[in-house]
């Protein structure tokens, strides 16, 4: 696929087939992603990939965070238990979850550079995945800021920051292209 077609045709995927993506394919996707621009060649991206039984740990940690932060009630009410069960089932049907994180830099400019580079890495991953027929959803959710959640998944919140949690798998359904605002509305040329 031509790069311009990939840029325009890639969609965020919200529903995935159950089939797992081969580890070799995922490695190749992340290898392409790692050609993202990186100041001082810091390559600041790190990935924790949860799949198979590993997803149980992640999903338990996510649901624990939702309960601690009040996104779902912290009780044993049958309604709550039903809600937890359906959220758990939904999250477990997603074949892979990739937690993308970086080491926090004390210098705010370095920190911004490295955060930006990780975002470029993520978009490269999404585009490379598209070429392999693999879909992704870039998510940012409140649990990423929950220090207990981070501890649960063995990340030190004093040292690292989660940039995104990517949901990954073969698309069950590809959403329609919502289009984009004409760039003319965003572009100011000064000459
Ligand atoms: C930083 C970032 C965070 C996002 N977080 C979410 C999210 O939490 N949940 C979600 O459904 N989509 C999320 N998205 C995906 C956007 O909703 C999606 O890119 C947008 O609807 C445009 O659709 P497209 O990617 O198919 O062109 C996120 C995208 C970005 C760049």
């Amino acid at each position: 696929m031509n790069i311009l077609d990939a840029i325009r045709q890639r969609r965020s995927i919200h529903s995935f087939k159950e089939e797992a993506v081969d580890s070799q394919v995922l490695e190749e996707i992340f290898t392409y992603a790692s050609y993202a621009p990186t100041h001082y060649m810091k390559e600041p991206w790190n990935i924790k990939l949860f799949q198979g039984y590993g997803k149980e740990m992640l999903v338990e940690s996510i649901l624990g965070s939702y309960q601690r932060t009040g996104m779902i009630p912290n009780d044993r009410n049958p309604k709550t238990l039903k809600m937890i069960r359906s959220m758990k089932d939904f999250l477990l049907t997603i074949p892979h979850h990739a937690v993308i994180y970086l080491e926090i830099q004390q210098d705010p400019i370095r920190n911004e550079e490295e955060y930006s580079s990780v975002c470029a890495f993520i978009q490269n991953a999404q585009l490379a995945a598209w070429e392999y027929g693999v879909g992704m959803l870039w998510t940012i959710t409140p649990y990423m800021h929950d220090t207990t959640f981070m501890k649960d998944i063995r990340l030190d919140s004093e040292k690292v920051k989660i940039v995104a949690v990517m949901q990954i798998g073969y698309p069950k359904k590809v959403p329609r292209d919502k289009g984009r605002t004409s760039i003319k509305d965003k572009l100011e040329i000064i000459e």
Side-chain angles (χ1 to χ4, degrees):
M1 188 188 291
N2 161 320
I3 187 170
L4 300 181
D5 289 340
I7 290 170
R8 282 194 81 132
Q9 290 168 15
R10 178 211 57 83
R11 295 277 70 80
S12 295
I13 299 303
H14 299 267
S15 60
F16 298 95
K17 293 181 182 164
E18 275 182 30
E19 179 191 350
V21 181
D22 193 74
S23 301
Q24 176 80 27
V25 170
L26 288 173
E27 241 180 62
E28 285 176 28
I29 288 170
F30 288 125
T31 300
Y32 280 107
S34 70
Y35 281 82
T38 164
H39 205 183
Y40 304 116
M41 294 306 293
K42 293 291 284 290
E43 305 185 46
W45 40 82
N46 297 279
I47 310 152
K48 259 189 196 278
L49 187 62
F50 294 89
Q51 55 189 31
Y53 289 117
K55 283 190 293 188
E56 295 276 347
M57 175 211 196
L58 177 73
V59 171
E60 287 299 330
S61 307
I62 292 173
L63 293 170
S65 177
Y66 283 166
Q67 287 204 291
R68 272 192 309 280
T69 55
M71 276 182 73
I72 44 180
N74 199 357
D75 59 36
R76 309 285 302 164
N77 186 306
K79 241 183 166 176
T80 308
L81 295 179
K82 198 171 163 207
M83 192 197 300
I84 292 173
R85 186 71 251 168
S86 78
M87 285 172 112
K88 189 172 174 177
D89 288 346
F90 169 72
L91 289 169
L92 288 173
T93 60
I94 300 163
H96 313 268
H97 300 253
V99 175
I100 315 285
Y101 65 97
L102 82 164
E103 268 178 42
I104 298 165
Q105 302 300 309
Q106 292 317 314
D107 178 334
I109 294 175
R110 294 277 171 273
N111 205 47
E112 245 177 57
E113 282 175 354
E114 302 206 352
Y115 186 88
S116 305
S117 185
V118 176
C119 291
F121 170 87
I122 294 170
Q123 181 60 0
N124 268 1
Q126 294 209 103
L127 292 172
W130 202 250
E131 172 71 19
Y132 284 88
V134 172
M136 292 193 176
L137 182 66
W138 185 336
T139 70
I140 290 195
T141 61
Y143 62 73
M144 286 169 34
H145 299 278
D146 174 8
T147 54
T148 309
F149 166 79
M150 290 184 70
K151 192 162 165 251
D152 288 347
I153 64 160
R154 319 274 183 270
L155 286 177
D156 183 345
S157 59
E158 306 238 313
K159 294 198 176 126
V160 304
K161 175 175 173 55
I162 299 176
V163 180
V165 180
M166 306 300 294
Q167 300 178 355
I168 306 172
Y170 290 105
K172 199 187 258 178
K173 187 169 166 242
V174 176
R176 67 176 178 85
D177 177 0
K178 288 181 271 207
R180 292 295 190 266
T181 305
S182 166
I183 205 64
K184 287 192 174 68
D185 295 353
K186 309 271 184 181
L187 176 67
E188 183 188 12
I189 300 177
I190 296 107
E191 57 187 358

